[in-house]
Amino acid sequence: MSTWRTPIRAQATTENQPVTTLELFFDLVFVFALTQITALMAHDLTWTGALRGVLLIGLLWWSWIGFSWICNVVKADEGSVRGVILLAMAALFVIALAIPEAFEDLPGGLPGPVVIALAYFAFRALHLVLFWLIADGDPVLRRTLIRFAPSMLAGTTLLLVASQFDGTTQTLLWGLALAADYGGTYLVDSRGWRFNSATHFAERHGLIVIIALGESIVAIGVGVTDLPISWPIIAASILGLAVSAALWWIYFDAATRYGEHALAAEPAETRPGLARDAYTFLHFPMVAGIVILALGLKKVLEYVGDTDHHTLSDPLKGVGHYALFAGVILYLLGHVGFKWRTIHQLGITRLIAAAVGVIALFATTPLPALAQLAVLTALLGILVGYESVHYAREREALKHGPHGPPA
């Protein structure tokens, strides 16, 4: 395909555009940032700490999302685009480095909250400017970017204002910043955006789910880094891995396929709206749910492995216990919304599993931490087993049928 006629050198994507290695390289910073967030929440295991962790996930997700849209329009590893992406990667890396000081500045050095606010502004400015240059000769896209800019400026300005406060005021301002950014994007007419490749967009989001699942596995290992290996640690680790494997199956056995088929079949005019709703917004609870689960898994491993501070009969309490179940519940609800938006079907089995998860959350309160994890593993195992058998024919047609997902 010929080079895009813009003020910068860029090459348009095709319908079958694969994810580039530069995009995967960009995601490595996202991996590090998620690890930082999990560690921050584990360090401040309070409801305020958990809320702040979710706000940070929201900030990172919105950062990542912006370039997922750009790289669906132009190739990430061609022309001038790759240079801008590398600059944005540097800004995101600064944000990740400063996450431990996102809300409470440490003595000495630069003010952490200000560093995050300025780095986030730089990141978003690079995204907006690159999109503007790419949109040369496309007045509809440029009008859309003009409508989009105020929400971006409001969000970044509020983050900078928040850096001058602490405590509840700071947390509320962070919430307002993300609400402005997310809400403003949703209110912009989606028909003004450009969308070239269903294949690329579905693969891109599938890979970020894999990255988040990787964080859940890392959390298992990090939870027992300084502890001697034992049978309880092995048992909890295998159960935690089984939970992560079940979440992988729930997404990649069918969801990624019918999502891509739905995007490809959507008329060009409304395809950006479907991509925005099903992927930009409804993948957020999936990714956030996995990171919250990672916190719960990390605490379970600490409980079963740290014999100096816990016994095997100790139940996981408070935020750690809620994170273990709430992460999975949020993930399942994200899937329910995704299925409804893409193929207009209600995911009954996953909705029921989420409801049972709520019951299990409260019913397992007195159980030892290892037993709590075993209950969660059993719940997901039953869900996966039932769907594997009950929907076997539909899944086979979805994977290998010539016409995509069944009616």
Side-chain angles (χ1 to χ4, degrees):
M1 181 169 290
S2 60
T3 302
W4 200 301
R5 296 179 59 188
T6 67
I8 63 170
R9 291 186 299 112
Q11 193 173 74
T13 57
T14 61
E15 172 56 38
N16 297 318
Q17 173 69 36
V19 173
T20 65
T21 55
L22 180 55
E23 291 170 272
L24 297 178
F25 184 52
F26 179 88
D27 289 349
L28 295 179
V29 179
F30 195 78
V31 175
F32 172 57
L34 291 182
T35 303
Q36 290 276 76
I37 293 173
T38 304
L40 181 67
M41 289 193 292
H43 178 72
D44 182 14
L45 202 62
T46 63
W47 292 113
T48 299
L51 174 59
R52 289 175 169 179
V54 171
L55 291 173
L56 279 165
I57 297 169
L59 183 80
L60 288 172
W61 177 251
W62 217 236
S63 303
W64 181 88
I65 277 295
F67 278 88
S68 72
W69 278 84
I70 281 184
C71 295
N72 190 265
V73 178
V74 293
K75 294 182 180 180
D77 57 353
E78 296 282 352
S80 307
V81 176
R82 56 188 169 185
V84 179
I85 289 177
L86 289 173
L87 287 174
M89 185 178 175
L92 187 60
F93 192 56
V94 171
I95 294 173
L97 288 172
I99 281 175
E101 299 182 74
F103 295 93
E104 295 181 5
D105 187 37
L106 299 178
L110 300 172
V114 175
V115 169
I116 285 186
L118 293 177
Y120 184 63
F121 174 79
F123 185 95
R124 296 302 303 278
L126 285 168
H127 167 256
L128 190 61
V129 170
L130 178 59
F131 230 145
W132 181 265
L133 295 175
I134 289 170
D136 184 50
D138 187 343
V140 174
L141 179 54
R142 283 204 162 175
R143 282 197 298 270
T144 302
L145 289 170
I146 290 172
R147 297 188 184 103
F148 167 76
S151 64
M152 184 276 282
L153 292 172
T156 53
T157 300
L158 282 169
L159 272 186
L160 188 58
V161 173
S163 69
Q164 304 305 305
F165 294 87
D166 54 23
T168 303
T169 302
Q170 183 188 32
T171 304
L172 287 174
L173 285 170
W174 263 73
L176 288 174
L178 292 185
D181 228 346
Y182 279 61
T185 301
Y186 188 80
L187 293 174
V188 172
D189 188 353
S190 63
R191 292 172 298 181
W193 297 111
R194 297 294 174 256
F195 188 91
N196 288 354
S197 174
T199 299
H200 174 273
F201 213 65
E203 182 184 4
R204 194 79 184 89
H205 286 74
L207 289 171
I208 207 65
V209 170
I210 283 286
I211 283 172
L213 288 172
E215 168 57 19
S216 70
I217 295 174
V218 168
I220 296 172
V222 170
V224 292
T225 299
D226 300 321
L227 301 175
I229 193 69
S230 64
W231 283 113
I233 286 177
I234 291 174
S237 298
I238 292 174
L239 288 173
L241 184 61
V243 168
S244 297
L247 299 191
W248 169 87
W249 185 95
I250 288 169
Y251 186 89
F252 289 97
D253 190 64
T256 186
R257 302 173 191 274
Y258 63 65
E260 181 180 346
H261 292 161
L263 267 182
E266 188 75 8
E269 183 180 4
T270 54
R271 189 180 294 179
L274 177 60
R276 179 200 63 189
D277 296 348
Y279 287 88
T280 297
F281 283 98
L282 287 172
H283 268 61
F284 174 64
M286 298 183 200
V287 172
I290 295 171
V291 179
I292 293 169
L293 166 68
L295 172 63
L297 292 174
K298 179 181 175 70
K299 300 310 293 184
V300 169
L301 267 294
E302 288 180 8
Y303 268 59
V304 302
D306 188 359
T307 55
D308 291 336
H309 300 90
H310 302 284
T311 67
L312 286 178
S313 61
D314 286 346
L316 191 61
K317 299 177 181 178
V319 174
H321 180 220
Y322 275 84
L324 187 66
F325 286 88
V328 171
I329 293 166
L330 187 60
Y331 180 80
L332 292 173
L333 291 177
H335 273 275
V336 172
F338 179 72
K339 188 172 186 178
W340 179 260
R341 183 63 181 88
T342 51
I343 60 175
H344 312 295
Q345 292 181 11
L346 185 62
I348 295 294
T349 55
R350 295 176 185 189
L351 192 60
I352 292 173
V356 174
V358 174
I359 297 172
L361 167 62
F362 295 101
T364 58
T365 300
L367 297 180
L370 189 58
Q372 293 170 340
L373 178 56
V375 170
L376 179 63
T377 307
L379 170 62
L380 289 173
I382 292 170
L383 173 63
V384 168
Y386 176 81
E387 290 191 349
S388 297
V389 174
H390 188 75
Y391 299 113
R393 182 175 299 177
E394 291 88 343
R395 297 283 173 90
E396 187 67 19
L398 181 60
K399 295 176 185 177
H400 305 295
H403 304 297

CSV table of all heavy atoms in Angstrom, one decimal, residues 11-59:
chain,number,residue,atom,x,y,z
A,11,GLN,N,2.0,4.8,6.9
A,11,GLN,CA,1.4,3.9,5.9
A,11,GLN,C,0.1,3.3,6.5
A,11,GLN,O,0.1,2.8,7.6
A,11,GLN,CB,2.4,2.8,5.6
A,11,GLN,CG,2.0,1.9,4.4
A,11,GLN,CD,3.1,0.9,4.1
A,11,GLN,OE1,3.4,-0.1,4.8
A,11,GLN,NE2,3.9,1.2,3.0
A,12,ALA,N,-0.9,3.3,5.7
A,12,ALA,CA,-2.2,2.9,6.2
A,12,ALA,C,-2.2,1.4,6.4
A,12,ALA,O,-1.5,0.6,5.7
A,12,ALA,CB,-3.3,3.2,5.1
A,13,THR,N,-3.0,0.9,7.3
A,13,THR,CA,-3.2,-0.5,7.6
A,13,THR,C,-4.2,-1.1,6.6
A,13,THR,O,-4.9,-0.4,6.0
A,13,THR,CB,-3.7,-0.8,9.0
A,13,THR,OG1,-4.9,0.0,9.2
A,13,THR,CG2,-2.7,-0.3,10.1
A,14,THR,N,-4.1,-2.4,6.5
A,14,THR,CA,-5.1,-3.2,5.7
A,14,THR,C,-6.1,-3.9,6.5
A,14,THR,O,-5.9,-4.0,7.8
A,14,THR,CB,-4.3,-4.2,4.8
A,14,THR,OG1,-3.6,-5.1,5.6
A,14,THR,CG2,-3.3,-3.5,3.9
A,15,GLU,N,-7.1,-4.5,5.9
A,15,GLU,CA,-8.1,-5.2,6.7
A,15,GLU,C,-7.5,-6.4,7.5
A,15,GLU,O,-7.9,-6.7,8.6
A,15,GLU,CB,-9.2,-5.8,5.8
A,15,GLU,CG,-10.2,-6.7,6.4
A,15,GLU,CD,-10.9,-6.1,7.6
A,15,GLU,OE1,-11.2,-4.9,7.6
A,15,GLU,OE2,-11.1,-6.8,8.6
A,16,ASN,N,-6.5,-7.0,7.0
A,16,ASN,CA,-5.9,-8.2,7.7
A,16,ASN,C,-4.6,-7.8,8.4
A,16,ASN,O,-3.7,-8.7,8.5
A,16,ASN,CB,-5.6,-9.3,6.7
A,16,ASN,CG,-6.9,-9.8,6.0
A,16,ASN,OD1,-7.9,-10.0,6.8
A,16,ASN,ND2,-6.9,-10.1,4.7
A,17,GLN,N,-4.4,-6.6,8.8
A,17,GLN,CA,-3.2,-6.1,9.4
A,17,GLN,C,-2.9,-6.9,10.7
A,17,GLN,O,-3.8,-6.9,11.6
A,17,GLN,CB,-3.4,-4.6,9.8
A,17,GLN,CG,-2.2,-4.0,10.6
A,17,GLN,CD,-1.0,-4.0,9.8
A,17,GLN,OE1,-1.0,-3.7,8.6
A,17,GLN,NE2,0.2,-4.2,10.4
A,18,PRO,N,-1.8,-7.5,10.8
A,18,PRO,CA,-1.4,-8.2,12.1
A,18,PRO,C,-0.8,-7.2,13.1
A,18,PRO,O,-0.4,-6.1,12.7
A,18,PRO,CB,-0.3,-9.2,11.7
A,18,PRO,CG,0.3,-8.5,10.5
A,18,PRO,CD,-0.7,-7.7,9.8
A,19,VAL,N,-0.8,-7.6,14.3
A,19,VAL,CA,-0.1,-6.7,15.4
A,19,VAL,C,1.4,-6.8,15.1
A,19,VAL,O,2.0,-7.8,14.8
A,19,VAL,CB,-0.4,-7.3,16.8
A,19,VAL,CG1,0.4,-6.5,17.8
A,19,VAL,CG2,-1.9,-7.1,17.1
A,20,THR,N,2.0,-5.6,15.2
A,20,THR,CA,3.5,-5.5,14.9
A,20,THR,C,4.3,-5.7,16.2
A,20,THR,O,3.8,-5.6,17.3
A,20,THR,CB,3.8,-4.1,14.4
A,20,THR,OG1,3.5,-3.1,15.4
A,20,THR,CG2,3.0,-3.7,13.2
A,21,THR,N,5.6,-6.0,15.9
A,21,THR,CA,6.5,-6.2,17.1
A,21,THR,C,6.7,-5.0,17.9
A,21,THR,O,6.9,-5.0,19.1
A,21,THR,CB,7.8,-6.8,16.6
A,21,THR,OG1,8.4,-5.9,15.6
A,21,THR,CG2,7.7,-8.2,16.0
A,22,LEU,N,6.5,-3.8,17.2
A,22,LEU,CA,6.7,-2.6,18.0
A,22,LEU,C,5.6,-2.4,19.0
A,22,LEU,O,5.8,-1.9,20.1
A,22,LEU,CB,6.7,-1.4,17.0
A,22,LEU,CG,6.9,0.0,17.7
A,22,LEU,CD1,8.1,0.1,18.6
A,22,LEU,CD2,6.9,1.1,16.6
A,23,GLU,N,4.4,-2.8,18.6
A,23,GLU,CA,3.2,-2.7,19.5
A,23,GLU,C,3.4,-3.6,20.7
A,23,GLU,O,3.1,-3.3,21.9
A,23,GLU,CB,1.9,-3.1,18.8
A,23,GLU,CG,1.5,-2.0,17.8
A,23,GLU,CD,0.4,-2.5,16.9
A,23,GLU,OE1,0.6,-3.2,15.9
A,23,GLU,OE2,-0.8,-2.3,17.3
A,24,LEU,N,4.0,-4.8,20.5
A,24,LEU,CA,4.3,-5.7,21.6
A,24,LEU,C,5.4,-5.2,22.5
A,24,LEU,O,5.3,-5.3,23.7
A,24,LEU,CB,4.7,-7.1,21.0
A,24,LEU,CG,3.7,-7.9,20.2
A,24,LEU,CD1,4.3,-9.1,19.6
A,24,LEU,CD2,2.4,-8.1,21.0
A,25,PHE,N,6.4,-4.5,21.9
A,25,PHE,CA,7.4,-3.9,22.6
A,25,PHE,C,6.8,-2.8,23.5
A,25,PHE,O,7.2,-2.6,24.7
A,25,PHE,CB,8.5,-3.3,21.7
A,25,PHE,CG,9.7,-2.7,22.3
A,25,PHE,CD1,10.4,-3.4,23.3
A,25,PHE,CD2,10.1,-1.4,22.0
A,25,PHE,CE1,11.5,-2.8,23.9
A,25,PHE,CE2,11.2,-0.8,22.6
A,25,PHE,CZ,11.9,-1.5,23.6
A,26,PHE,N,5.9,-2.0,22.9
A,26,PHE,CA,5.2,-0.9,23.7
A,26,PHE,C,4.5,-1.6,24.9
A,26,PHE,O,4.5,-1.0,26.0
A,26,PHE,CB,4.2,-0.3,22.7
A,26,PHE,CG,3.4,0.8,23.4
A,26,PHE,CD1,3.8,2.1,23.4
A,26,PHE,CD2,2.1,0.5,23.9
A,26,PHE,CE1,3.0,3.1,24.0
A,26,PHE,CE2,1.3,1.5,24.5
A,26,PHE,CZ,1.8,2.8,24.5
A,27,ASP,N,3.9,-2.7,24.7
A,27,ASP,CA,3.2,-3.4,25.8
A,27,ASP,C,4.0,-3.8,27.0
A,27,ASP,O,3.5,-4.0,28.1
A,27,ASP,CB,2.4,-4.6,25.3
A,27,ASP,CG,1.3,-4.2,24.4
A,27,ASP,OD1,0.9,-3.0,24.3
A,27,ASP,OD2,0.7,-5.1,23.7
A,28,LEU,N,5.3,-3.9,26.8
A,28,LEU,CA,6.2,-4.3,27.9
A,28,LEU,C,6.2,-3.3,29.0
A,28,LEU,O,6.3,-3.6,30.2
A,28,LEU,CB,7.6,-4.5,27.4
A,28,LEU,CG,7.9,-5.6,26.4
A,28,LEU,CD1,9.3,-5.7,26.0
A,28,LEU,CD2,7.5,-7.0,27.0
A,29,VAL,N,6.0,-2.0,28.7
A,29,VAL,CA,5.9,-1.0,29.7
A,29,VAL,C,4.6,-1.2,30.4
A,29,VAL,O,4.5,-1.0,31.7
A,29,VAL,CB,5.9,0.4,29.0
A,29,VAL,CG1,5.8,1.5,30.1
A,29,VAL,CG2,7.3,0.6,28.3
A,30,PHE,N,3.5,-1.6,29.7
A,30,PHE,CA,2.2,-1.8,30.4
A,30,PHE,C,2.4,-3.0,31.4
A,30,PHE,O,1.8,-2.9,32.5
A,30,PHE,CB,1.2,-2.2,29.3
A,30,PHE,CG,-0.2,-2.1,29.8
A,30,PHE,CD1,-0.9,-0.9,29.9
A,30,PHE,CD2,-0.9,-3.2,30.0
A,30,PHE,CE1,-2.2,-0.8,30.3
A,30,PHE,CE2,-2.3,-3.2,30.5
A,30,PHE,CZ,-2.9,-2.0,30.6
A,31,VAL,N,3.1,-4.0,31.0
A,31,VAL,CA,3.4,-5.1,32.0
A,31,VAL,C,4.0,-4.6,33.3
A,31,VAL,O,3.6,-4.9,34.4
A,31,VAL,CB,4.3,-6.2,31.3
A,31,VAL,CG1,4.6,-7.3,32.3
A,31,VAL,CG2,3.6,-6.8,30.1
A,32,PHE,N,5.1,-3.8,33.1
A,32,PHE,CA,5.8,-3.3,34.3
A,32,PHE,C,4.8,-2.4,35.1
A,32,PHE,O,4.8,-2.5,36.3
A,32,PHE,CB,7.0,-2.5,33.8
A,32,PHE,CG,7.7,-1.7,34.9
A,32,PHE,CD1,8.2,-2.4,36.0
A,32,PHE,CD2,7.8,-0.3,34.8
A,32,PHE,CE1,8.8,-1.6,37.0
A,32,PHE,CE2,8.4,0.4,35.8
A,32,PHE,CZ,8.9,-0.3,36.9
A,33,ALA,N,4.0,-1.6,34.5
A,33,ALA,CA,3.1,-0.7,35.2
A,33,ALA,C,2.1,-1.5,36.0
A,33,ALA,O,1.7,-1.2,37.1
A,33,ALA,CB,2.4,0.2,34.2
A,34,LEU,N,1.5,-2.6,35.4
A,34,LEU,CA,0.6,-3.4,36.1
A,34,LEU,C,1.2,-4.0,37.4
A,34,LEU,O,0.6,-4.2,38.4
A,34,LEU,CB,0.0,-4.5,35.2
A,34,LEU,CG,-0.9,-4.1,34.1
A,34,LEU,CD1,-1.4,-5.3,33.3
A,34,LEU,CD2,-2.1,-3.2,34.6
A,35,THR,N,2.5,-4.5,37.2
A,35,THR,CA,3.2,-5.0,38.4
A,35,THR,C,3.3,-4.0,39.5
A,35,THR,O,3.2,-4.3,40.7
A,35,THR,CB,4.6,-5.6,37.9
A,35,THR,OG1,4.4,-6.5,36.9
A,35,THR,CG2,5.3,-6.2,39.1
A,36,GLN,N,3.6,-2.8,39.1
A,36,GLN,CA,3.7,-1.7,40.0
A,36,GLN,C,2.4,-1.4,40.8
A,36,GLN,O,2.4,-1.2,42.0
A,36,GLN,CB,4.2,-0.4,39.3
A,36,GLN,CG,5.6,-0.4,38.8
A,36,GLN,CD,6.6,0.0,39.8
A,36,GLN,OE1,6.9,-0.8,40.7
A,36,GLN,NE2,7.1,1.2,39.8
A,37,ILE,N,1.3,-1.5,40.0
A,37,ILE,CA,0.0,-1.2,40.7
A,37,ILE,C,-0.3,-2.3,41.7
A,37,ILE,O,-0.8,-2.1,42.8
A,37,ILE,CB,-1.1,-1.1,39.6
A,37,ILE,CG1,-0.9,0.1,38.7
A,37,ILE,CG2,-2.5,-1.1,40.2
A,37,ILE,CD1,-1.8,0.2,37.5
A,38,THR,N,-0.1,-3.6,41.3
A,38,THR,CA,-0.4,-4.7,42.2
A,38,THR,C,0.4,-4.5,43.5
A,38,THR,O,-0.1,-4.8,44.6
A,38,THR,CB,-0.1,-6.0,41.5
A,38,THR,OG1,-0.8,-6.2,40.3
A,38,THR,CG2,-0.4,-7.2,42.4
A,39,ALA,N,1.7,-4.2,43.3
A,39,ALA,CA,2.6,-4.0,44.5
A,39,ALA,C,2.1,-2.8,45.4
A,39,ALA,O,2.1,-2.9,46.6
A,39,ALA,CB,4.0,-3.8,44.0
A,40,LEU,N,1.6,-1.8,44.7
A,40,LEU,CA,1.1,-0.6,45.5
A,40,LEU,C,-0.1,-1.0,46.3
A,40,LEU,O,-0.2,-0.6,47.4
A,40,LEU,CB,0.8,0.5,44.5
A,40,LEU,CG,0.3,1.8,45.1
A,40,LEU,CD1,1.4,2.5,46.0
A,40,LEU,CD2,-0.2,2.8,44.1
A,41,MET,N,-1.0,-1.7,45.7
A,41,MET,CA,-2.3,-2.1,46.4
A,41,MET,C,-1.9,-3.1,47.5
A,41,MET,O,-2.5,-3.0,48.6
A,41,MET,CB,-3.3,-2.7,45.4
A,41,MET,CG,-3.9,-1.8,44.4
A,41,MET,SD,-5.3,-2.4,43.5
A,41,MET,CE,-4.5,-3.6,42.5
A,42,ALA,N,-1.0,-4.0,47.3
A,42,ALA,CA,-0.6,-4.9,48.3
A,42,ALA,C,0.1,-4.2,49.5
A,42,ALA,O,-0.1,-4.6,50.7
A,42,ALA,CB,0.4,-6.0,47.8
A,43,HIS,N,0.8,-3.1,49.2
A,43,HIS,CA,1.5,-2.3,50.3
A,43,HIS,C,0.4,-1.6,51.1
A,43,HIS,O,0.6,-1.4,52.3
A,43,HIS,CB,2.5,-1.4,49.6
A,43,HIS,CG,3.2,-0.5,50.6
A,43,HIS,ND1,4.1,-1.0,51.5
A,43,HIS,CD2,3.0,0.8,50.9
A,43,HIS,CE1,4.5,0.0,52.3
A,43,HIS,NE2,3.9,1.1,51.9
A,44,ASP,N,-0.6,-1.1,50.4
A,44,ASP,CA,-1.7,-0.3,51.1
A,44,ASP,C,-3.0,-1.1,51.0
A,44,ASP,O,-3.8,-0.8,50.2
A,44,ASP,CB,-1.8,1.1,50.4
A,44,ASP,CG,-2.8,2.0,51.1
A,44,ASP,OD1,-3.3,1.6,52.3
A,44,ASP,OD2,-3.2,3.0,50.6
A,45,LEU,N,-3.1,-2.1,51.8
A,45,LEU,CA,-4.2,-3.1,51.7
A,45,LEU,C,-5.4,-2.5,52.4
A,45,LEU,O,-5.8,-3.1,53.4
A,45,LEU,CB,-3.8,-4.4,52.2
A,45,LEU,CG,-4.6,-5.6,51.7
A,45,LEU,CD1,-4.5,-5.8,50.2
A,45,LEU,CD2,-4.2,-6.9,52.4
A,46,THR,N,-5.9,-1.4,51.9
A,46,THR,CA,-7.1,-0.8,52.5
A,46,THR,C,-8.1,-0.5,51.3
A,46,THR,O,-7.7,-0.6,50.2
A,46,THR,CB,-6.7,0.6,53.2
A,46,THR,OG1,-6.2,1.5,52.2
A,46,THR,CG2,-5.7,0.4,54.2
A,47,TRP,N,-9.3,-0.1,51.7
A,47,TRP,CA,-10.3,0.2,50.6
A,47,TRP,C,-9.8,1.4,49.8
A,47,TRP,O,-10.0,1.5,48.6
A,47,TRP,CB,-11.6,0.4,51.2
A,47,TRP,CG,-12.2,-0.8,51.8
A,47,TRP,CD1,-12.4,-1.1,53.1
A,47,TRP,CD2,-12.6,-2.0,51.1
A,47,TRP,NE1,-12.9,-2.4,53.2
A,47,TRP,CE2,-13.1,-2.9,52.0
A,47,TRP,CE3,-12.6,-2.3,49.7
A,47,TRP,CZ2,-13.5,-4.2,51.6
A,47,TRP,CZ3,-13.0,-3.6,49.3
A,47,TRP,CH2,-13.5,-4.5,50.3
A,48,THR,N,-9.2,2.4,50.5
A,48,THR,CA,-8.7,3.5,49.8
A,48,THR,C,-7.6,3.1,48.8
A,48,THR,O,-7.5,3.6,47.7
A,48,THR,CB,-8.2,4.6,50.8
A,48,THR,OG1,-9.2,5.1,51.6
A,48,THR,CG2,-7.6,5.8,50.0
A,49,GLY,N,-6.7,2.3,49.3
A,49,GLY,CA,-5.6,1.8,48.5
A,49,GLY,C,-6.1,1.0,47.3
A,49,GLY,O,-5.6,1.1,46.1
A,50,ALA,N,-7.2,0.2,47.5
A,50,ALA,CA,-7.7,-0.6,46.4
A,50,ALA,C,-8.4,0.4,45.3
A,50,ALA,O,-8.2,0.2,44.1
A,50,ALA,CB,-8.8,-1.5,46.9
A,51,LEU,N,-9.1,1.4,45.8
A,51,LEU,CA,-9.7,2.4,44.9
A,51,LEU,C,-8.6,3.1,44.1
A,51,LEU,O,-8.8,3.3,42.9
A,51,LEU,CB,-10.5,3.4,45.7
A,51,LEU,CG,-11.1,4.6,44.9
A,51,LEU,CD1,-12.1,4.1,43.8
A,51,LEU,CD2,-11.9,5.5,45.9
A,52,ARG,N,-7.6,3.5,44.8
A,52,ARG,CA,-6.5,4.2,44.1
A,52,ARG,C,-5.8,3.3,43.0
A,52,ARG,O,-5.5,3.7,41.9
A,52,ARG,CB,-5.5,4.7,45.1
A,52,ARG,CG,-6.0,5.9,45.9
A,52,ARG,CD,-5.0,6.3,47.0
A,52,ARG,NE,-5.4,7.6,47.6
A,52,ARG,CZ,-4.7,8.2,48.5
A,52,ARG,NH1,-3.6,7.6,49.0
A,52,ARG,NH2,-5.1,9.3,49.0
A,53,GLY,N,-5.7,2.0,43.3
A,53,GLY,CA,-5.2,1.1,42.4
A,53,GLY,C,-6.1,1.0,41.1
A,53,GLY,O,-5.6,0.9,40.0
A,54,VAL,N,-7.4,0.9,41.3
A,54,VAL,CA,-8.3,0.9,40.2
A,54,VAL,C,-8.2,2.2,39.4
A,54,VAL,O,-8.3,2.1,38.1
A,54,VAL,CB,-9.8,0.7,40.7
A,54,VAL,CG1,-10.8,0.8,39.6
A,54,VAL,CG2,-9.9,-0.7,41.3
A,55,LEU,N,-8.1,3.3,40.0
A,55,LEU,CA,-7.9,4.6,39.3
A,55,LEU,C,-6.6,4.5,38.4
A,55,LEU,O,-6.6,5.0,37.3
A,55,LEU,CB,-7.9,5.7,40.3
A,55,LEU,CG,-9.2,6.1,41.0
A,55,LEU,CD1,-8.9,7.1,42.0
A,55,LEU,CD2,-10.2,6.5,40.0
A,56,LEU,N,-5.6,4.0,39.0
A,56,LEU,CA,-4.3,3.9,38.2
A,56,LEU,C,-4.5,2.9,37.0
A,56,LEU,O,-4.0,3.2,35.9
A,56,LEU,CB,-3.2,3.4,39.1
A,56,LEU,CG,-2.5,4.4,40.0
A,56,LEU,CD1,-1.7,3.8,41.1
A,56,LEU,CD2,-1.7,5.4,39.1
A,57,ILE,N,-5.2,1.8,37.2
A,57,ILE,CA,-5.5,0.9,36.1
A,57,ILE,C,-6.2,1.6,35.0
A,57,ILE,O,-6.0,1.5,33.8
A,57,ILE,CB,-6.3,-0.3,36.6
A,57,ILE,CG1,-5.5,-1.2,37.6
A,57,ILE,CG2,-6.7,-1.2,35.4
A,57,ILE,CD1,-6.3,-2.2,38.3
A,58,GLY,N,-7.2,2.5,35.4
A,58,GLY,CA,-8.0,3.2,34.5
A,58,GLY,C,-7.1,4.2,33.7
A,58,GLY,O,-7.3,4.4,32.5
A,59,LEU,N,-6.2,4.8,34.4
A,59,LEU,CA,-5.3,5.8,33.7
A,59,LEU,C,-4.4,5.0,32.7
A,59,LEU,O,-4.3,5.5,31.5
A,59,LEU,CB,-4.4,6.4,34.8
A,59,LEU,CG,-3.4,7.5,34.2
A,59,LEU,CD1,-4.2,8.8,34.0
A,59,LEU,CD2,-2.3,7.7,35.2
